Amino acid sequence: MQNTMTFSTTENRTFSAQLVWMMGFTMLTAIGAQIEIPSTPVPFTLQTFFVLLSGVILGKRNGAISQLLYLSAGIIGAPVFSGFGFGVAKIVGPTGGYLLSFPVVAFIVGLLVERLRTYWGVSASMLFGMFVLFAFGTLHLSAFYLHNFSESVEKGFLIFSIWDIAKLFSAAGIAHAILRHRDTQIKE
């Protein structure tokens, strides 16, 4: 007797739709990396905007997977990192800690938003995710690049504060509107 796994048409559509959404956020994160304002040692980009949205819109698992796909694409040679960069050198370079935090941040934001679905709840979830991102990034920047924690906080966290608060509230507004629409659809 042959043991095979079969999926119904609905299950296949659901899996296919999830895969399309995950790949979509992988691509959006890559596009966000190219929208860049040069700064040393870490540029200003729109990547984090899409990392935060991926956690809310896709959920914790699929959001994290979309960011793992993004990192994998860059590591194996696709020019998806800022400045069309790629390879392991980007992971061990000054932006490595930020990049490595992306799947973790998407997961954490997705997890928190499961319970905090108001605008302020989504904003708080994203703010916590940003602190995780900056913790990874600043510690990595200090340990592997600048070798000075104070300078790393200044060049890897403080300089981004206003820019990232603006991105956070924009992402929270979009995410909350999508959640509200999705919750309304489920009730109907």
Side-chain angles (χ1 to χ4, degrees):
M1 178 182 225
Q2 188 177 13
N3 188 6
T4 60
M5 181 181 281
T6 60
F7 294 100
S8 71
T9 306
T10 303
E11 287 171 327
N12 282 333
R13 272 195 303 245
T14 301
F15 175 75
S16 298
Q18 288 180 27
L19 189 57
V20 166
W21 277 99
M22 286 185 281
M23 293 302 296
F25 270 95
T26 299
M27 290 187 281
L28 286 170
T29 305
I31 292 166
Q34 308 320 314
I35 301 169
E36 173 183 1
I37 299 170
S39 173
T40 53
V42 180
F44 292 86
T45 70
L46 277 180
Q47 289 167 297
T48 52
F49 181 83
F50 295 111
V51 172
L52 296 171
L53 280 175
S54 72
V56 176
I57 294 170
L58 302 180
K60 61 186 179 199
R61 183 194 69 190
N62 290 353
I65 291 170
S66 75
Q67 298 309 312
L68 284 169
L69 290 170
Y70 169 74
L71 291 177
S72 298
I75 289 169
I76 63 171
V80 296
F81 299 141
S82 65
F84 295 101
F86 58 89
V88 176
K90 283 289 194 176
I91 300 299
V92 296
T95 60
Y98 302 94
L99 292 169
L100 291 172
S101 77
F102 288 0
V104 176
V105 169
F107 183 88
I108 289 170
V109 171
L111 178 68
L112 293 172
V113 167
E114 287 176 359
R115 303 233 189 282
L116 306 170
R117 297 181 77 78
T118 66
Y119 172 78
W120 293 110
V122 171
S123 298
S125 300
M126 289 181 167
L127 183 62
F128 185 74
M130 289 298 285
F131 280 120
V132 171
L133 182 132
F134 281 123
F136 271 65
T138 302
L139 291 172
H140 181 92
L141 192 60
S142 180
F144 297 102
Y145 189 74
L146 295 176
H147 307 291
N148 180 318
F149 186 71
S150 296
E151 186 179 3
S152 297
V153 169
E154 179 187 330
K155 292 183 176 180
F157 173 64
L158 295 178
I159 192 170
F160 297 107
S161 299
I162 294 171
W163 168 249
D164 280 328
I165 292 295
K167 284 192 293 187
L168 184 147
F169 285 115
S170 298
I174 292 167
H176 182 253
I178 291 170
L179 285 177
R180 232 180 29 224
H181 177 71
R182 188 184 302 160
D183 290 347
T184 303
Q185 296 293 352
I186 291 170
K187 289 178 185 177
E188 293 176 355

